């Protein structure tokens, strides 16, 4: 068991092992002794302590980690010992100076060089970072500002705001890519003092006095402060906006996660409908959690970014937490993509099964009547829909899936008898799976006298799930046979039934039709058109099924105009 102590190093609190603390204390004391009596010794020591604190923070995985001998030794190795750099020139004047291996150059970091600035120090900082003379950098910004509609000015202002200034000795060394050790810190501090001494020696006191009297700041400094102030306000606004967006989204997701999970647990109506849509096999609570992480983690980082903008000294969540959240997000998104692919695959293929049967009417010469069965007395339905699919209950109160996706078509028979073909369609991940699902569709009809009574709904077990199940009934009638569509078939008549009136689907209802030799229905009781109507411009039928534009035989085209007065459709006659 080792004793630990708390230390304040460069205004940062660290937990350090007692033995490591003693070693660090002796190291700092030896540095103080080495620089005692040196110009700027206090600033040198303060910069050294700040650099040591930075190195400790880089090595810590969390704020409660204890600094040990290992970390102290690594820091001393980076910073070096004072005796490696201090040379008493009076004693060793006649001896050749020893050369010490200097650490390799570090990667440069971008800072604003405020010591050599004209406005904000951006160009001077880019000189160090890019290795290009600041004069050329300034010319580039000016040319960009002139020839790109102000882009150069905008870029300069953004860099001024976003790039920090090199204020400390460590930052100035980082800007130049020089190792931050005792030797370089000492050199930079001494250079600063020498520069100050040189400026004091060569200063024109009268000129400075007049300048101080006139203004304490340069014009550019004042403008810079105003711009920075405005952008800080804008930045705070952006931070507040990010916090509101992130927090509200997370709260909504959190509420939705537990609401869906709770509803699924107590089987609230509607939640279980997910099961007939879902093909991935993933329970609703798992999908809810994956969606929570996939959507919530990006918005959490938006919230965190907003807090970082508003709170200057906000603690970092740490690299472990960041990478853990990133990994969790990637897993959630990847899993949802897999579920989505499996879901889409269930609709990749369509399978069909056909059942054709010849009907024997009691009186073949009678009119064939087509009507729908009143199935509402046989089934009870829920009000929850997935397209045209809904839950229902059969006469034994077993839960089933129901749909009115039924189309009735009329075609000319090749024989003298009436026949009916029932085609059942469904989707699946393969043709075989789709055909199996289609076979499980229940649909029936009966022939009573001269009337074909069709089921109003197709049904299937809930285990077959909603996969675009539909039924198409094709009735084949011989030539000259009369057909009558009962009003109950109004919404079930399919598209493309050829008739001499040009009626579209619902227009066929409650009229008597006879099949001609060309497979077209001829109306027996439709109102006759007058001469003007027959020679007119055709018809446009607009109903719940869409828009049908009928062009008569003596017309080959039409024109449509849409303007502020509305829509105008005019058929052009053949020349």
């Amino acid at each position: 068991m080792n004793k630990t102590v708390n230390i304040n190093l460069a205004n940062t609190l660290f937990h350090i092992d007692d033995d490591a603390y003693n070693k660090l204390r002796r190291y700092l004391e030896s540095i103080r002794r080495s620089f005692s009596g040196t110009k700027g010794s206090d600033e040198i020591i303060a910069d050294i302590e700040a650099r040591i604190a930075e190195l400790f923070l880089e090595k810590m995985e969390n704020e409660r980690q204890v600094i040990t001998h290992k970390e102290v030794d690594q820091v001393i190795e980076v910073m070096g010992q004072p005796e490696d750099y201090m040379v008493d020139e009076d004693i060793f004047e006649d001896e050749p100076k020893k050369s010490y291996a200097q650490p390799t150059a570090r990667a440069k970091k971008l800072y604003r060089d405020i010591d050599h600035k004209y406005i904000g120090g951006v160009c001077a900082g880019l000189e160090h970072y890019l290795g290009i003379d600041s004069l050329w950098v300034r010319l580039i910004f000016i040319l960009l500002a002139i020839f790109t509609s102000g882009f150069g000015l905008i870029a300069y202002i953004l860099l001024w705001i976003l790039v920090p200034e090199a204020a400390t000795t460590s930052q100035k060394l980082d800007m130049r890519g020089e190792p931050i050790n005792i030797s370089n810190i000492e050199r930079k501090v001494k250079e600063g003092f020498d520069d100050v001494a040189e400026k004091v020696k060569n200063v024109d006191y009268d000129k400075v006095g007049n300048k101080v009297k006139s203004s304490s700041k340069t014009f550019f400094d004042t403008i810079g402060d105003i711009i920075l102030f405005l952008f800080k306000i804008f930045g705070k606004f952006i931070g507040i906006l990010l916090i509101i967006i992130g927090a509200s989204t997370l709260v909504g997701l959190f509420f939705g996660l537990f609401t869906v999970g709770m509803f699924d647990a107590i089987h609230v109506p509607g939640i279980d409908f997910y099961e007939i849509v879902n093909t991935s096999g993933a329970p609703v609570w798992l999908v809810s959690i994956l969606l929570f992480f996939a959507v919530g983690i990006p918005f959490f980082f938006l919230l965190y970014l907003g807090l970082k903008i508003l709170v200057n000294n906000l603690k970092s969540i740490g690299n472990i937490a960041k990478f853990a959240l990133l990994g969790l997000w990637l897993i959630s998104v990847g899993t949802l993509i897999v579920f989505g692919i499996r879901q889409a695959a269930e609709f990749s293929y369509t399978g069909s099964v056909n059942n054709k049967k010849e009907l024997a009417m009691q009186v073949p010469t009678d009119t064939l009547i087509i009507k729908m069965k009143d199935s509402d007395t046989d089934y009870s339905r829920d009000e929850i829909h997935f397209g045209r699919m809904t839950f229902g209950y059969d006469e034994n109160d077993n839960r089933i899936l129901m749909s009115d996706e039924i189309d009735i078509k009329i075609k000319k028979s090749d024989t003298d008898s009436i026949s009916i073909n029932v085609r059942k369609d469904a989707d699946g991940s393969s043709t075989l799976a789709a055909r199996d699902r289609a076979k499980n569709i229940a649909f029936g009809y009966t022939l009573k006298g001269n009337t074909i009574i069709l089921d109003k709904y197709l049904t299937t077990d809930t285990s077959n799930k909603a996969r675009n199940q539909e039924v198409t009934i094709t009735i084949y009638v011989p030539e000259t046979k009369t057909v009558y569509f009962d009003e109950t078939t109004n919404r079930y008549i399919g598209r493309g039934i050829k008739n001499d009136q040009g009626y579209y689907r619902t227009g066929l209802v409650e009229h008597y039709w006879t099949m001609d030799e060309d497979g077209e229905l001829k109306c027996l009781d439709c109102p006759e058109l007058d001469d003007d109507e027959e020679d007119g411009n055709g018809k446009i039928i607009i109903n719940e099924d869409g828009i049908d534009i009928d062009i008569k035989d003596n017309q080959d085209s039409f024109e449509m105009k849409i303007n502020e007065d509305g829509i105008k459709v005019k058929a052009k006659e053949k020349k």
Side-chain angles (χ1 to χ4, degrees), residues 259-275 283-285 382 384 391 393 399:
T259 301
V260 171
M262 180 182 68
F263 283 0
D264 182 48
I266 62 178
H267 301 291
V268 172
I271 295 297
D272 51 359
F273 198 76
Y274 162 85
E275 293 301 328
V284 63
W285 62 265
D382 284 347
I384 303 169
F391 278 121
Y393 300 88
R399 201 169 200 188

Side-chain angles (χ1 to χ4, degrees), residues 223-239:
I223 295 298
D225 289 343
I226 294 173
I227 293 174
L228 285 175
F229 175 73
L230 293 176
F231 272 95
K232 283 180 180 177
I233 293 177
F234 180 73
K236 299 296 182 184
F237 172 76
I238 294 297

Side-chain angles (χ1 to χ4, degrees), residues 249-250 253 290-300 329 333 336:
T249 304
L250 288 174
L253 288 171
L290 292 174
L291 284 172
F292 177 79
F293 288 132
V295 179
I297 290 175
F299 280 95
F300 168 77
W329 180 79
V333 171
L336 287 173

Side-chain angles (χ1 to χ4, degrees), residues 111-374:
Y111 288 96
R112 291 185 290 113
D113 188 355
I114 57 175
D115 294 333
H116 302 90
K117 69 176 183 177
Y118 273 96
I119 300 177
V122 173
C123 297
L126 288 172
E127 176 183 3
H128 298 294
Y129 189 75
L130 301 175
I132 303 173
D133 190 276
S134 59
L135 175 62
W136 296 108
V137 178
R138 293 185 177 100
L139 286 175
I140 291 172
F141 275 109
I142 293 171
L143 292 174
L144 287 174
I146 295 173
F147 295 107
T148 59
S149 303
F151 174 77
L153 178 61
I154 296 172
Y156 186 90
I157 292 174
L158 288 175
L159 289 172
W160 191 356
I161 296 167
L162 299 175
V163 176
E165 65 181 31
T168 66
T169 304
S170 296
Q171 290 171 340
K172 292 175 182 178
L173 291 172
D174 257 342
M175 180 174 64
R176 290 171 169 81
E178 299 178 12
I180 306 176
N181 52 32
I182 294 175
S183 174
N184 286 332
I185 291 175
E186 177 193 6
R187 177 174 56 80
K188 288 302 295 179
V189 171
K190 286 184 176 180
E191 286 178 0
F193 276 96
D194 292 340
D195 289 343
V196 172
E198 188 67 24
K199 290 177 181 177
V200 170
K201 187 188 298 182
N202 299 326
V203 72
D204 186 342
Y205 291 100
D206 293 335
K207 184 177 180 181
V208 171
N210 293 331
K211 187 176 181 180
V212 170
K213 290 177 182 178
S214 63
S215 175
S216 61
K217 285 188 176 183
T218 66
F219 171 77
F220 286 121
D221 285 337
T222 304
I223 295 298
D225 289 343
I226 294 173
I227 293 174
L228 285 175
F229 175 73
L230 293 176
F231 272 95
K232 283 180 180 177
I233 293 177
F234 180 73
K236 299 296 182 184
F237 172 76
I238 294 297
I240 294 172
L241 187 63
L242 292 177
I243 290 173
I244 292 173
I245 294 173
S248 59
T249 304
L250 288 174
V251 170
L253 288 171
F254 189 78
F255 179 77
L257 170 66
F258 282 93
T259 301
V260 171
M262 180 182 68
F263 283 0
D264 182 48
I266 62 178
H267 301 291
V268 172
I271 295 297
D272 51 359
F273 198 76
Y274 162 85
E275 293 301 328
I276 69 168
V277 181
N278 172 46
T279 59
S280 61
V284 63
W285 62 265
L286 176 59
V287 175
S288 300
I289 292 174
L290 292 174
L291 284 172
F292 177 79
F293 288 132
V295 179
I297 290 175
F299 280 95
F300 168 77
F301 279 105
L302 275 183
L303 171 64
Y304 180 70
L305 178 59
L307 291 173
K308 290 282 285 185
I309 292 174
L310 291 180
V311 183
N312 294 329
N313 59 345
L314 183 69
K315 286 282 187 180
S316 173
I317 62 174
N319 290 332
I320 294 179
K322 291 177 182 177
F323 284 114
L325 289 174
L326 176 61
L328 188 59
W329 180 79
L330 291 174
I331 292 172
S332 301
V333 171
T335 307
L336 287 173
I337 290 174
V338 171
F339 288 163
I341 293 173
R342 292 181 61 181
Q343 179 77 17
E346 283 293 318
F347 296 88
S348 300
Y349 298 90
T350 300
S352 302
V353 292
N354 290 273
N355 182 12
K356 190 172 183 179
K357 185 177 180 181
E358 187 173 304
L359 301 178
M361 294 180 61
Q362 293 180 356
V363 183
T365 58
D366 285 352
T367 298
L368 175 65
I369 301 174
I370 303 171
K371 66 180 297 184
M372 308 304 294
K373 181 181 179 182
D374 184 13

Side-chain angles (χ1 to χ4, degrees), residues 518-552:
D518 297 324
E520 183 179 73
L521 294 177
K522 300 289 186 180
C523 188
L524 300 178
D525 61 345
C526 294
E528 293 185 3
L529 300 176
D530 56 31
D531 294 338
D532 292 336
E533 289 178 319
E534 290 187 5
D535 297 333
N537 296 325
K539 293 181 292 184
I540 299 177
I541 301 174
I542 303 175
N543 53 28
E544 70 276 5
D545 298 315
I547 301 175
D548 182 48
I549 301 176
D550 180 38
I551 304 300
K552 293 298 183 181

Side-chain angles (χ1 to χ4, degrees), residues 25 61 82 102 153 343 361 463 476 549:
R25 179 176 54 79
E61 296 181 357
Q102 294 294 324
L153 178 61
Q343 179 77 17
M361 294 180 61
S463 61
Y476 297 88
I549 301 176

